[in-house]
Amino acid sequence: MSDRIKVTVDGVDVEVEPGTTILQACEEAGAEIPRFCYHERLSVAGNCRMCLVEVERAPKPVASCAAPVAPDMVVFTQTDSVKAAREGVMEFLLINHPLDCPICDQGGECDLQDQALGYGGDASRFDDNKRAVEEKHMGPLVKTIMTRCIHCTRCVRFATEVAGVPEIGAIGRGEDMEITTYLEAALDSEMSGNVIDLCPVGALTSKPYAYTARPWELKKTETIDVMDAVGSNIRVDTRGREAMRILPRNHDDVNEEWLSDKSRFVWDGLNTQRLDTPYVRRDGKLAASTWNDAFAVIAEKIVGKADKLAAIAGDLVCAEGQFALKSLMDNLGSPHLDCRQDGAKLSGPRANYLFNTTIAGIEDADALLIIGANPRVEAPVLNSRIRKRFMMGQFPIAMIGAPADLTYEVSHIGAGTDTLADLLAGQHGFADVLKNAQRPMILVGQAALARDDGDAVLAAAIQLAENSGAISPTWNGFNVLHLAAARVAGLDLGLLPGEGGKDTAGILQAANSGEVETVILYGADEIAGAALGDAFVIYIGSHGDRGAHRADVILPSAAYTEKQAIYVNTEGRPQMTERAAFPPGEAREDWKIFRALSDHLAVTLDFDTVEALRVKMFAVAPHLAQLDQIEPAAAPQAPQAGTMASDAFGVAVEDFYFTNPIARASATMAACAKAKGERAPAKQGTGSHG
Amino acid sequence: MSVRRLHATQPESFAFTPENIEWSKGQISKYPEGRQASAIIPLLWQAQKQEGWLSEPAIRTVADMLDMPYMRALEVATFYTMFNLSPVGEFFVQLCGTTPCWLRGADDLKSVCRKMIGEQGDITEDGKLSWLEVECLGACVNAPMVQINDDFYEDLTAESFEQVLTDLRAGKEVATGPQNTRHTSEPEGGLTVLKGTK
């Protein structure tokens, strides 16, 4: 391209886009520039001065992160003057930085430590007292040791720009400058944990992880998160069998490098409340048992009575397990199978239940209508992508449903189906906004779909998308935001009622009437125990939660960090988890449980390895084999449906911190929920100094 | 410069007087729509004028009026030394202690403050006086000097400064500017040059 600019870095010529910073050009040329304040996903601050480089004909060193390139610029990054500048900056930064690396949690993965080694001097010349800063309270997740802070302001910029909660700031000035939240309140964000990753020193560290491990003693496993349907890429760090912490991995099309607090801090839930051996209820009490015993009890209930058997799959289960369950139910001949434990009216062509625009595609949209969703708590990482698009400007957003603060400007145009009908009839101003937009997006949440008239709402939303020109060969603006990591795979694999089969509501009804006598709950924990009547309940799952409490037989299975399995996110992107640790005790991988059970029920499944299972699964859903690829779905088809009831949409996620059995087992999540409850009334301000 | 933090005890609430609300609207209207936050310093200053100091509720009130996050307003309030984050006396003495004033006897003035008021930040029991040492106020030619509320009192000696404080406390009128025979910053004892021009 002709309008690219030629820059020479240390004798290497590179061509870059105009507006590129010198630092980016240097990286392109392969020159490493140390930095603290600069972060490619945040605005440029230019206050740490670590990135100084020499530019030909410039009188003094230039802060490369903040200076744009000019044509034929000649940059030097390895000259004596640059080295002296770096050493000088480093010496100033270390003047007030405590020498507490041996007791600092950042030790071993600290930018300041690494860069002091690489670019700093050998000893300090500073003989006076160092400054000390009082600790600041930032809630149950972020531990602060503010004496270590070097005032890069990354956390301030993250909170303001990405998280959309401008609550962190720098008070005072000069030597007295301190980073704090307003009156030291906990950060009111579902993304607050990211400031820990951003902090280049040990000022902001993880409170739950404090003093538990050193980075070099941890085994790092790259895997996928299942706390929401985004499919964030994560790294699970384990020591022995125990998960010690969870960190995000970069994936530009999914989570960038952010992670929601639930995904990041849920790991203590993986180590508590675990089911580690089969249980059988005898005389009203659950007693530890063996696999063979448990299978024998189950066989007694099921063999010969398969028509009275039903199964419901839960929110955190993998594609392999769901496929094995479906195969088992098929072999037994029972059609009563459903993967929608919330009762969402989703099925049909793939485009009807996918986030078709894709998460990265949000950035190309130019108008958004949210129907019955609160992406801030349902998918925080996806919400920050919407905010990112909003910050670019020219992005009108409207919302139908329960009002919520989404961290960006939203016009709340209605509470329920009436407004949706108005939009459909073109009687609302926002209908024109959608129509005039080039690439409008419609986002439908589970609060709008998990109701009796869910299919009518879905039909109306698809109709509206068609009317607004949101669906064309080049753009698919119809989106369903899922809450459960398991759901899209379940729908892809057809875990839906078969011929004459019952859906979740039907199964519960039949369980009460006695029509269904045995129910398999495969990780389904969002169903109240009483709703299952007197049915014999087989629970297959990893945690002792609602499902296990109600169960008559418990078969312990592996959690998402303990198996290699495929999950499909809300976009329809299949991703594979890796095993970070082995499941506890007698617990086994999900598909193995169904395979072993099938033997005892005399309907042996015809696969003996997970590879064989996957071959069969890929025959049903070939796109699952294309890991990290989204198979674009065709246009959504409005289902035949009745009329919409006129009541308002509810709230799909009541408590962000307690949406699944793992989160409910986590003490950290409980502490977060408590802190959130405490700050709610205080937000109006009591006038007293915090 | 001392560490600037919010005062330990804060009032329950803050409200602008109706006149100040009108005045604030005028200030805000100077800036284009969406840029109201630019009026933060005038509004904080007016809040301080009304109460004598800036309380946490006052900072919040101003932030609400300008539709900006509380944290951003707090950053401004703690950055500028002209904002008093603790209560001050009715007559708030800012005593210049920078080199020119110091050479001309600022230490004597400090002794007067300690004698009549107490340590820096203390308020006299009658609520009339408090003092703070500040950096150069730009009146070096009339050193030593203090600023009391909005006015400069210059060319002070320990005696004349004590008299100023006593008179202010008693509610008497005190002439601002030089407290000796000088007229503004003209030479002491009258003009010495350019006298012969006719």
Side-chain angles (χ1 to χ4, degrees):
Chain A
M1 287 213 307
S2 57
D3 57 348
R4 287 168 76 93
I5 292 176
K6 195 188 113 213
V7 187
T8 309
V9 180
D10 296 338
V12 179
D13 289 351
V14 283
E15 283 201 346
V16 293
E17 293 288 326
T20 309
T21 62
I22 298 177
L23 189 146
Q24 287 165 325
C26 289
E27 289 199 324
E28 197 123 317
E32 192 183 319
I33 309 289
R35 86 286 304 263
F36 293 110
C37 71
Y38 175 80
H39 192 280
E40 56 268 30
R41 298 198 197 278
L42 303 174
S43 64
V44 171
N47 53 11
C48 77
R49 317 312 288 180
M50 195 61 199
C51 64
L52 293 174
V53 295
E54 200 179 334
V55 175
E56 198 174 72
R57 290 197 298 279
K60 47 186 185 170
V62 174
S64 63
C65 72
V69 291
D72 300 316
M73 197 177 239
V74 180
V75 182
F76 301 100
T77 71
Q78 297 298 331
T79 58
D80 288 344
S81 112
V82 173
K83 283 179 183 159
R86 287 173 182 168
E87 207 172 303
V89 169
M90 201 70 231
E91 187 169 6
F92 272 117
L93 284 175
L94 292 177
I95 276 181
N96 276 320
H97 191 81
L99 251 182
D100 59 355
C101 303
I103 56 144
C104 174
D105 259 329
Q106 195 85 353
E109 50 186 5
C110 174
D111 288 355
L112 190 68
Q113 207 177 27
D114 295 347
Q115 293 182 30
L117 185 71
Y119 305 101
D122 55 351
S124 173
R125 293 179 287 176
F126 186 72
D127 287 335
D128 291 293
N129 289 329
K130 294 191 177 211
R131 88 183 193 134
V133 181
E134 286 165 10
E135 304 314 350
K136 303 283 184 284
H137 178 70
M138 275 200 200
L141 301 176
V142 183
K143 177 183 160 84
T144 67
I145 300 175
M146 298 316 284
T147 302
R148 296 177 186 151
C149 178
I150 58 168
H151 305 131
C152 68
T153 67
R154 275 186 188 179
C155 52
V156 179
R157 284 174 285 148
F158 172 82
T160 308
E161 293 161 16
V162 179
V165 283
E167 291 169 12
I168 308 186
I171 59 167
R173 63 198 277 186
E175 196 195 6
D176 298 316
M177 177 169 156
E178 293 181 7
I179 301 287
T180 182
T181 51
Y182 191 74
L183 303 186
E184 298 192 28
L187 203 55
D188 185 19
S189 171
E190 293 73 29
M191 303 276 287
S192 64
N194 293 298
V195 298
I196 298 166
D197 290 343
L198 288 170
C199 186
V201 298
L204 305 179
T205 54
S206 168
K207 206 174 246 180
Y209 172 72
Y211 306 134
T212 54
R214 282 302 199 179
W216 54 84
E217 58 182 355
L218 298 172
K219 191 185 93 182
K220 299 159 182 76
T221 310
E222 300 195 337
T223 181
I224 304 298
D225 171 63
V226 301
M227 289 300 119
D228 51 37
V230 173
S232 299
N233 287 214
I234 55 168
R235 192 186 91 193
V236 177
D237 287 5
T238 48
R239 187 172 58 192
R241 234 215 54 193
E242 213 177 339
M244 300 305 290
R245 64 171 174 176
I246 296 173
L247 297 173
R249 279 190 295 139
N250 189 60
H251 191 312
D252 284 344
D253 292 336
V254 182
N255 57 318
E256 300 186 280
E257 60 192 79
W258 314 129
L259 196 57
S260 85
D261 285 350
K262 186 162 50 178
S263 307
R264 181 189 297 265
F265 293 104
V266 80
W267 82 81
D268 65 328
L270 287 166
N271 302 331
T272 48
Q273 290 286 326
R274 289 307 299 269
L275 299 169
D276 57 359
T277 185
Y279 285 86
V280 175
R281 192 178 293 274
R282 292 199 171 93
D283 308 325
K285 276 195 159 164
L286 281 168
S289 180
T290 63
W291 282 103
N292 279 335
D293 264 7
F295 285 148
V297 171
I298 294 170
E300 209 172 290
K301 289 283 173 186
I302 294 181
V303 173
K305 287 185 275 189
D307 55 326
K308 292 188 181 284
L309 169 71
I312 300 172
D315 290 347
L316 304 181
V317 297
C318 57
E320 284 84 350
Q322 293 190 83
F323 180 73
L325 172 63
K326 166 131 175 90
S327 306
L328 179 69
M329 294 296 280
D330 285 350
N331 284 7
L332 286 165
S334 167
H336 310 306
L337 172 66
D338 202 343
C339 65
R340 305 160 301 182
Q341 61 170 330
D342 54 358
K345 299 285 188 293
L346 285 169
S347 62
R350 235 177 144 231
N352 278 20
Y353 59 81
L354 288 188
F355 200 91
N356 294 299
T357 303
T358 74
I359 295 172
I362 294 171
E363 290 177 35
D364 299 323
D366 55 1
L368 171 63
L369 172 66
I370 299 171
I371 303 170
N374 177 354
R376 179 171 177 186
V377 293
E378 293 171 17
V381 173
L382 188 144
N383 194 54
S384 61
R385 193 68 82 115
I386 299 176
R387 180 176 159 80
K388 184 179 178 186
R389 173 64 192 86
F390 171 77
M391 297 295 280
M392 295 176 195
Q394 306 289 317
F395 192 49
I397 307 171
M399 175 182 186
I400 305 174
D405 174 11
L406 298 181
T407 72
Y408 38 82
E409 215 172 283
V410 177
S411 59
H412 185 255
I413 59 172
T417 49
D418 295 348
T419 318
L420 185 55
D422 283 353
L423 279 167
L424 203 51
Q427 285 166 353
H428 194 286
F430 201 76
D432 295 331
V433 176
L434 288 174
K435 208 161 262 175
N436 295 333
Q438 296 298 309
R439 291 176 301 278
M441 262 182 85
I442 291 176
L443 189 159
V444 188
Q446 301 302 311
L449 299 170
R451 36 191 269 154
D452 291 339
D453 61 348
D455 39 7
V457 175
L458 180 70
I462 292 174
Q463 192 63 50
L464 180 61
E466 281 169 4
N467 292 359
S468 319
I471 294 158
S472 72
T474 53
W475 178 255
N476 192 338
F478 178 76
N479 298 288
V480 173
L481 179 61
H482 286 272
L483 303 177
R487 195 71 79 246
V488 174
L491 292 167
D492 279 353
L493 293 168
L495 270 83
L496 296 165
E499 193 75 29
K502 299 180 192 305
D503 63 4
T504 300
I507 292 169
L508 295 182
Q509 211 170 16
N512 276 297
S513 69
E515 205 181 325
V516 161
E517 288 178 359
T518 308
V519 180
I520 298 176
L521 293 182
Y522 174 31
D525 282 283
E526 312 307 318
I527 293 168
L532 290 155
D534 294 328
F536 183 81
V537 176
I538 303 159
Y539 178 77
I540 300 161
S542 58
H543 282 70
D545 199 62
R546 289 172 200 160
H549 285 294
R550 172 61 185 80
D552 296 291
V553 176
I554 296 173
L555 304 177
S557 69
Y560 69 107
T561 51
E562 295 156 3
K563 59 190 169 193
Q564 191 203 50
I566 292 172
Y567 285 88
V568 185
N569 80 351
T570 190
E571 304 169 286
R573 180 193 302 274
Q575 300 183 102
M576 195 179 275
T577 61
E578 291 296 335
R579 179 163 58 213
F582 284 94
E586 290 290 305
R588 292 290 180 270
E589 285 181 34
D590 314 26
W591 74 271
K592 286 183 182 168
I593 297 172
F594 291 114
R595 172 67 182 74
L597 180 60
S598 70
D599 264 345
H600 288 260
L601 302 178
V603 286
T604 305
L605 295 171
D606 52 355
F607 43 78
D608 293 327
T609 61
V610 72
E611 288 76 19
L613 179 151
R614 285 198 187 119
V615 168
K616 294 197 175 300
M617 182 168 77
F618 295 155
V620 175
H623 55 271
L624 294 189
Q626 309 294 320
L627 287 184
D628 204 22
Q629 306 281 318
I630 299 175
E631 170 87 17
Q637 311 277 324
Q640 293 294 322
T643 50
M644 296 188 282
S646 64
D647 48 340
F649 297 133
V651 176
V653 173
E654 289 283 356
D655 196 331
F656 169 71
Y657 298 106
F658 291 136
T659 53
N660 63 55
I662 304 179
R664 284 190 287 265
S666 159
T668 310
M669 292 296 109
C672 288
K674 187 160 169 272
K676 178 125 186 137
E678 279 166 6
R679 64 169 285 127
K683 222 185 165 188
Q684 278 118 47
T686 58
S688 59
H689 176 61
Chain B
M1 191 171 63
S2 58
V3 177
R4 296 172 49 73
R5 294 291 177 269
L6 291 174
H7 193 55
T9 48
Q10 294 282 341
E12 274 300 308
S13 61
F14 169 86
F16 272 123
T17 59
E19 302 81 60
N20 279 340
I21 288 179
E22 280 309 306
W23 182 90
S24 303
K25 282 182 184 156
Q27 294 296 313
I28 296 169
S29 69
K30 288 181 181 173
Y31 302 98
E33 185 62 32
R35 296 274 183 273
Q36 306 91 325
S38 302
I40 174 86
I41 290 180
L43 261 62
L44 287 176
W45 185 244
Q46 198 68 8
Q48 171 159 314
K49 270 194 167 171
Q50 183 179 314
E51 302 287 307
W53 65 293
L54 262 186
S55 61
E56 190 267 333
I59 294 169
R60 254 188 299 126
T61 306
V62 169
D64 282 336
M65 288 171 76
L66 301 176
D67 197 20
M68 61 192 287
Y70 297 159
M71 193 64 220
R72 296 285 98 82
L74 180 67
E75 285 177 331
V76 174
T78 55
F79 185 89
Y80 291 103
T81 50
M82 68 189 196
F83 295 121
N84 302 321
L85 297 179
S86 313
V88 294
E90 189 184 326
F91 299 100
F92 174 48
V93 180
Q94 299 182 66
L95 190 155
C96 175
T98 308
T99 315
C101 282
W102 174 62
L103 287 170
R104 298 276 294 154
D107 280 347
D108 297 340
L109 306 187
K110 281 193 216 170
S111 306
V112 172
C113 283
R114 290 210 180 85
K115 191 177 80 186
M116 292 188 64
I117 304 170
E119 286 306 314
Q120 288 194 55
D122 291 353
I123 306 173
T124 51
E125 266 173 34
D126 58 5
K128 293 278 187 191
L129 298 174
S130 71
W131 75 284
L132 203 62
E133 181 180 341
V134 298
E135 300 306 327
C136 185
L137 290 169
C140 313
V141 72
N142 293 72
M145 59 78 67
V146 299
Q147 179 183 343
I148 302 177
N149 294 346
D150 291 339
D151 296 310
F152 279 8
Y153 296 83
E154 300 156 320
D155 293 314
L156 293 164
T157 59
E159 293 72 34
S160 61
F161 182 43
E162 198 168 336
Q163 193 56 50
V164 167
L165 291 182
T166 312
D167 288 352
L168 286 172
R169 194 177 210 169
K172 287 186 197 156
E173 283 282 318
V174 180
T176 60
Q179 298 299 312
N180 59 4
T181 56
R182 282 172 81 179
H183 176 248
T184 67
S185 54
E186 285 171 4
E188 207 169 342
L191 296 175
T192 55
V193 292
L194 301 177
K195 292 173 86 175
T197 47
K198 291 263 160 50

